[in-house]
Amino acid sequence: MTGSTQTEFFVNKGETQLGPWTMQDLAARVASGEVAVTDFVFDEAQNDWVAIFQCAAFQAHMQSQKPKAAPPKRSAAPQATATPVEPQDDDKTVVLTSVKETQRPAQTMSEAQLTGEPTEWYVHKRS
């Protein structure tokens, strides 16, 4: 899978040495933010400490995890809708604009969050 025979990985984060970890452990800790790809891992193939993102075994592992299919294409351009809000100050009005696809039904914020679909908001200030 990784093209390397290395099975244990030691990480140097600042003054602390961590490990040994398997490649899956290392990748999970990078994903969680516990270690950064700029922290150092001992690469047995190079017999040296290298940044995690430069480690050939880590690169091969990440390449093997890459999605096989491209994301779906959007079928329609977003349509902006504006909703004016009562003036908050003397002569300023704030307008919030939500961008929604034209062929999709409206969703509540919690539904959009649950499905992981992005909600885009624009704020326009009038002077």
Side-chain angles (χ1 to χ4, degrees):
M1 177 200 263
T2 62
S4 172
T5 59
Q6 186 171 348
T7 58
E8 294 184 329
F9 298 85
F10 291 90
V11 172
N12 188 9
K13 183 173 182 63
E15 300 289 320
T16 307
Q17 184 171 310
L18 307 167
W21 294 331
T22 65
M23 179 52 67
Q24 289 74 19
D25 291 336
L26 176 59
R29 286 169 173 18
V30 168
S32 74
E34 182 179 340
V35 296
V37 294
T38 54
D39 289 329
F40 289 92
V41 62
F42 191 79
D43 187 335
E44 291 176 359
Q46 295 186 36
N47 197 32
D48 198 7
W49 291 96
V50 298
I52 293 173
F53 74 89
Q54 292 177 316
C55 177
F58 183 76
Q59 291 173 353
H61 174 77
M62 294 309 296
Q63 188 68 21
S64 74
Q65 303 300 307
K66 183 173 74 170
K68 306 295 184 231
K73 295 188 186 254
R74 294 184 113 168
S75 59
Q79 176 184 355
T81 56
T83 307
V85 177
E86 292 298 320
Q88 300 295 317
D89 296 329
D90 301 329
D91 61 344
K92 294 181 180 177
T93 301
V94 175
V95 178
L96 297 179
T97 304
S98 171
V99 176
K100 297 179 183 174
E101 292 182 34
T102 56
Q103 297 178 347
R104 296 189 57 127
Q107 294 179 313
T108 65
M109 182 70 105
S110 60
E111 287 172 335
Q113 290 171 336
L114 289 174
T115 60
E117 294 181 21
T119 301
E120 297 178 25
W121 291 92
Y122 299 89
V123 176
H124 303 276
K125 281 188 154 185
R126 294 183 194 160
S127 300

